[in-house]
Amino acid sequence: SFGFTLIELLISMSIMALLFGIGVARYLGFNQSQTIKQAAQKLKSDLRSAANKAITGEKNGCGTLDGYRVSFTSGEYVTSAACSGATFIAVNTVNLPTGVTFNPLPSSVFFKVLGQGVDLGALSSLTITLSGFSKTEIITVNTSGEIQ
């Protein structure tokens, strides 16, 4: 009498299915966590790029450059060159990944030319919160241009 009984086969298959289900759930959680972290890293990189373009005076089609603005909507953000006369030329538009939003919606960030700092309106620092999948990532920009 060699082999396995039906009960032994059912128990081993149940254990394998349980382990597989746990593995899939952990993978999905990890994937969602990475999605929001990557969105935050991309936003930090784009903020730093806008600051660098303002510091170096990269005109991007402007006659006279006033700076670079990063403005936010619920599902995207736009980097624009700010030209004299309140004219804005969109340089880069980035859509957030599905399921990731700004919460609450931040005001815009304006990087002034030639290292003159950042205009945040009446704020001394701006906190940008990316939310999604029950996770959050926080980015802070202060008036000296420091991005954390």
Side-chain angles (χ1 to χ4, degrees), residues 69-107:
R69 177 183 73 178
V70 180
S71 55
F72 304 91
T73 62
S74 61
E76 70 178 19
Y77 58 92
V78 179
T79 304
S80 304
C83 306
S84 62
T87 305
F88 294 95
I89 298 172
V91 176
N92 187 25
T93 300
V94 177
N95 293 312
L96 295 176
T98 303
V100 178
T101 59
F102 295 109
N103 187 21
L105 193 62
S107 58

Side-chain angles (χ1 to χ4, degrees), residues 2-71:
F2 296 101
F4 299 103
T5 66
L6 181 60
I7 297 294
E8 291 172 330
L9 289 174
L10 287 175
I11 290 173
S12 63
M13 294 296 285
S14 297
I15 291 171
M16 288 182 4
L18 179 67
L19 291 175
F20 179 76
I22 291 170
V24 167
R26 302 274 286 161
Y27 172 75
L28 291 176
F30 172 77
N31 194 29
Q32 292 171 342
S33 177
Q34 290 303 307
T35 297
I36 200 152
K37 283 181 183 179
Q38 287 175 347
Q41 289 299 323
K42 172 80 171 127
L43 176 55
K44 281 183 185 178
S45 174
D46 289 342
L47 287 167
R48 288 186 178 117
S49 176
N52 287 336
K53 287 180 181 184
I55 288 170
T56 60
E58 186 177 314
K59 292 188 177 184
N60 259 327
C62 290
T64 303
L65 180 70
D66 291 336
Y68 276 81
R69 177 183 73 178
V70 180
S71 55

